[in-house]
Amino acid sequence: MLKSIKRSLDVFIHTFYTDFKHIVKDPGVLIILFGATIMYPVIYSVAYSKEVVREIPVAVVDLSETKSSRTLTQMLDASSQIKVDYHIYNFKEAQNLFYDDIVHGIIIIPKDFERKIFRGEQTSIKAYADATYFMIYKQVLSAAVSAGTTMGVKIEVARLMQKGMDMNKALAQSQPLSVETNYLFNPSAGYASYAMPGLLILILQQTLLLSIGMLGGTNRERNRKYYFLENTLNPRSAIPILLGKVSAFFLLHILNVFFALVIIYKIFGFPQKGNPIDIIILIIPYLLSVGFLGVAIASMIKKREHSLVFMFFTSIPFVFLSGMSWPINEMPTVLQYFTKIIPSTAAIQGFLRLNTMGASLKQVSHEFVMLLSLMVFYFTVAYLILRYRIKQNNKELELQEIDNESKDSN
């Protein structure tokens, strides 16, 4: 028993040391493991640092050419969401500006705008926005609605005050229902605060998978033994071999986790309400499940470049299946089942609720259990593959011994 434990410990240490040595001596793996994990969060965070799209150029087509229409144009331009770069009187000219990508929205004030206001009739303005880019569309539409609503209330209050009503009562009557909006967990309603927490978790997964795959492909190309031992092994040694491989990457990747989830958060000021201990407890099974998955994939990679191809075809689907861009419960049933086998899906959902929303570990127990299940599942898959590899290697060594004996006898 003690001899078996000692042998397993020797295999674990040997595998850990050998993999660690190969990682630090491989520039490509280091660039992916550390360079990409540092570069991508910084680039994305800097690109989204403004949080909200502001001062979107629009054209106002003023067909009314009256004092009221000019007042509305000034109110539109005063909005932080849009900027009236062109105040023109011809829709065709505004359309050309839009198609030439000079403006991203057109607001039309009708010819009878002021006349209807003076008659006490309802009037309207038309807003055209580039809906192919939803952030631009939202800002242009919001600015138009806000300016129109504000001017409508202003006109109604003035009319009621002319009838002798007190200003506060006139304001209450013109706007009996007011809406107070609070952006929970994202005070600025910013894109970076929405997108980056999930992207950081996904980047940690993809860089770890890619670096393990690259090293595995290199080992196969150079005909290195999968567990770096020349002698025959008991197939049960697959467990210490697997743990040694994953531990080498895990130890190095902890530095990336600290950079992504602590330093990046501090530099760019992303919302952070989570308990650090709860986050660590969630991240550990996440990294282990990714590590075991990486070893399983690496065992099927014959060339270094194959890992890059795998990442190329999986990165974008993993983003969409994470639930960041579209709710998982709104996806087709088949895709909903598929999301459950991707570690980043449960990790992103759990991390967002823990760190951004301030939930407790108990409140994300479903995601935590999912990660533990994936950790066990991918451990089993990787173990079975390594066990098969060991058996194959033992057979090769036996055949080599038979060949050597036959040569010696001759």
Side-chain angles (χ1 to χ4, degrees), residues 18 76 109 123 129 132 140 165 184 198 221 246 265 280 315 336 348 376 394 410:
T18 308
L76 289 166
I109 303 175
T123 186
T132 58
V140 173
M165 187 177 291
L184 299 177
E221 284 180 358
V246 172
Y265 265 77
I280 291 170
S315 293
Q336 289 187 37
I348 288 173
V376 173
N394 289 345
N410 292 332

Side-chain angles (χ1 to χ4, degrees), residues 184-185 271-274 349 351-359:
L184 299 177
F185 317 120
Q272 194 170 23
K273 297 182 178 180
Q349 298 298 323
F351 179 75
L352 289 178
R353 290 165 61 191
L354 273 180
N355 199 40
T356 304
M357 300 171 66

Side-chain angles (χ1 to χ4, degrees), residues 23-96:
I23 292 168
V24 297
K25 287 186 176 181
D26 191 322
V29 173
L30 287 178
I31 288 172
I32 295 298
L33 191 62
F34 292 107
T37 310
I38 293 172
M39 181 180 66
Y40 284 129
V42 171
I43 290 175
Y44 290 150
S45 298
V46 170
Y48 304 147
S49 59
K50 289 189 176 181
E51 292 277 10
V52 179
V53 179
R54 300 182 185 274
E55 301 292 328
I56 297 170
V58 301
V60 172
V61 181
D62 188 357
L63 301 178
S64 178
E65 300 184 50
T66 58
K67 182 180 178 182
S68 298
S69 64
R70 286 191 291 272
T71 300
L72 178 60
T73 301
Q74 290 172 354
M75 293 175 67
L76 289 166
D77 195 35
S79 168
S80 63
Q81 298 162 309
I82 62 175
K83 180 183 179 183
V84 180
D85 279 352
Y86 295 88
H87 187 183
I88 52 185
Y89 309 96
N90 182 284
F91 179 69
K92 186 66 176 177
E93 184 180 349
Q95 199 174 31
N96 291 334

Side-chain angles (χ1 to χ4, degrees), residues 151-194:
M151 187 168 185
V153 171
K154 183 179 178 181
I155 292 168
E156 182 63 18
V157 169
R159 183 179 289 123
L160 293 173
M161 289 179 66
Q162 285 177 354
K163 294 180 180 180
M165 187 177 291
D166 176 71
M167 189 179 86
N168 292 329
K169 290 183 179 180
L171 185 62
Q173 185 168 327
S174 63
Q175 197 177 17
L177 178 64
S178 63
V179 178
E180 183 178 337
T181 304
N182 294 305
Y183 296 103
L184 299 177
F185 317 120
N186 187 355
S188 65
Y191 188 78
S193 296
Y194 148 73

